[in-house]
Amino acid sequence: MDVTERGRLTGAQALKHWYYQAKFDLLRWHLLRTPTGGGPRTIADLGCGLGVFLTLLERSGIAPASHLQGVDPAQGQGSTAIDGGAPISPSWPENQLYHWVLLMDVLEHVEDDVGLLVEARDHCRTGGCLFVTVPAFQWMFAEHDRCLGHKRRYTLGSLRMLAARAGGLTIEALHYYFGLLLPFAFVKRRLGGICAGRKESDLRPLRPCLNSLFRLVMSFEHLWGHANRLGGLTAVMVCQIGIAHV
C-alpha cells in the first residue's frame, strides 16, 4: 500500500477495496499455477507498505505468516502486516531466499529500476519467481502519477527489456490488467486532472454497492486478464530465476 494512499484508505479499508482485491486475485492465480520447487512456499513482498497483500496471502491460506516476509525501508524498526502476523522489516533478513518475491507497484518509484529488479532476483531461490506489477503506458502519465511519486509508466515491451537488462530471468507471463477500466481512467485523468495538485491518491473508500460493482467488473476480467496483450492500467510480468545469484 503506497504511503500516499494511507491518507485516503485505512489498512482495514484497503483489505476490502476492489482494487487490492482484484490485484490479489491476479497474484493468487499466478502463484497457484506456476511451480517453484518443492517444500513450503515462501514469499517476500519488497516495498510492501502496510503489508496488505501479505495479510491477504495469509488469510487465503496460500502461506502462513511464518512463510511470509515484508521488506520496506519505510517501516523503520520493523512491524507486522496490517491485521495479520507476517513480519515486515526495513531490510532483507540475512541468508534467506524465497520461492516468490513480489514487486507490486514498486519499480516505478525508483530511478534505478534495473537495480531493484536485480536486488529482488538475488533474494529468490533458483527456480523461484518474481511477480511484478507496474502502471502501464507513459501516455497515461498524469497528476495521479506525480502525486504517487512515479518516475515512469511501462509497456510489455519495456518490461521485457528491463528483464533482459537485469539478466538471469526467464519471462513466464507478460500481460496487461485492469483493461476494462483503461478508457474510463484515461478520460478521468485527462479531463480535470486527478488530485488537482494535492498530494493524495485517487483511491478512496467507496460505498459498499460501488465497491461490489467494481469487484463484479473485475471478476469478468479475471477470466481473461492473464491473456490480455492489448492494454490496461497495469502491466504484469512473472519471471522465473534460472541461476542462483546469492
Side-chain angles (χ1 to χ4, degrees):
M1 185 176 182
D2 196 290
V3 65
T4 54
E5 289 169 358
R6 298 179 196 175
R8 309 301 301 273
L9 293 173
T10 65
Q13 289 170 334
L15 288 169
K16 298 178 180 179
H17 197 278
W18 69 268
Y19 175 81
Y20 291 101
Q21 287 283 338
K23 192 161 283 189
F24 174 71
D25 287 344
L26 178 67
L27 168 62
R28 177 170 53 189
W29 188 88
H30 281 290
L31 282 171
L32 296 180
R33 75 177 293 273
T34 308
T36 54
R41 183 189 290 114
T42 55
I43 304 171
D45 188 356
L46 178 58
C48 65
L50 295 180
V52 169
F53 292 111
L54 294 171
T55 297
L56 292 174
L57 286 166
E58 181 183 353
R59 288 184 177 182
S60 68
I62 289 178
S66 59
H67 290 77
L68 299 170
Q69 177 67 54
V71 180
D72 197 318
Q75 292 303 312
Q77 298 302 311
S79 61
T80 55
I82 184 74
D83 289 341
I88 301 175
S89 60
S91 59
W92 292 97
E94 292 185 6
N95 304 315
Q96 181 66 49
L97 299 177
Y98 302 89
H99 292 94
W100 284 82
V101 175
L102 315 180
L103 286 153
M104 302 183 70
D105 295 336
V106 177
L107 291 177
E108 68 273 14
H109 289 275
V110 300
E111 294 290 348
D112 185 9
D113 52 357
V114 176
L116 190 60
L117 190 63
V118 168
E119 177 184 329
R121 178 204 67 192
D122 287 352
H123 287 86
C124 203
R125 294 174 177 267
T126 301
C129 285
L130 304 182
F131 180 81
V132 178
T133 65
V134 288
F137 299 120
Q138 191 63 27
W139 47 263
M140 278 289 291
F141 198 95
E143 191 63 28
H144 168 79
D145 296 278
R146 298 184 185 93
C147 289
L148 293 180
H150 294 175
K151 309 295 184 184
R152 70 194 74 81
R153 298 175 74 95
Y154 295 79
T155 63
L156 300 188
S158 62
L159 275 181
R160 188 181 297 277
M161 288 189 290
L162 185 68
R165 291 174 64 193
L169 302 174
T170 300
I171 296 177
E172 298 292 333
L174 194 63
H175 64 87
Y176 292 109
Y177 202 54
F178 298 114
L180 294 176
L181 303 179
L182 179 60
F184 303 99
F186 176 77
V187 171
K188 183 178 181 183
R189 293 180 187 182
R190 286 295 177 265
L191 299 179
I194 297 300
C195 298
R198 297 169 295 174
K199 295 295 183 182
E200 56 189 23
S201 166
D202 59 334
L203 284 182
R204 64 195 67 195
L206 295 177
R207 295 178 183 273
C209 58
L210 284 177
N211 198 62
S212 297
L213 176 60
F214 278 108
R215 286 283 289 145
L216 179 62
V217 170
M218 289 309 303
S219 69
F220 285 114
E221 177 160 343
H222 186 66
L223 298 175
W224 56 271
H226 56 277
N228 176 12
R229 305 293 189 275
L230 297 177
L233 291 175
T234 292
V236 182
M237 179 172 67
V238 179
C239 294
Q240 196 155 33
I241 312 303
I243 304 173
H245 295 274
V246 175

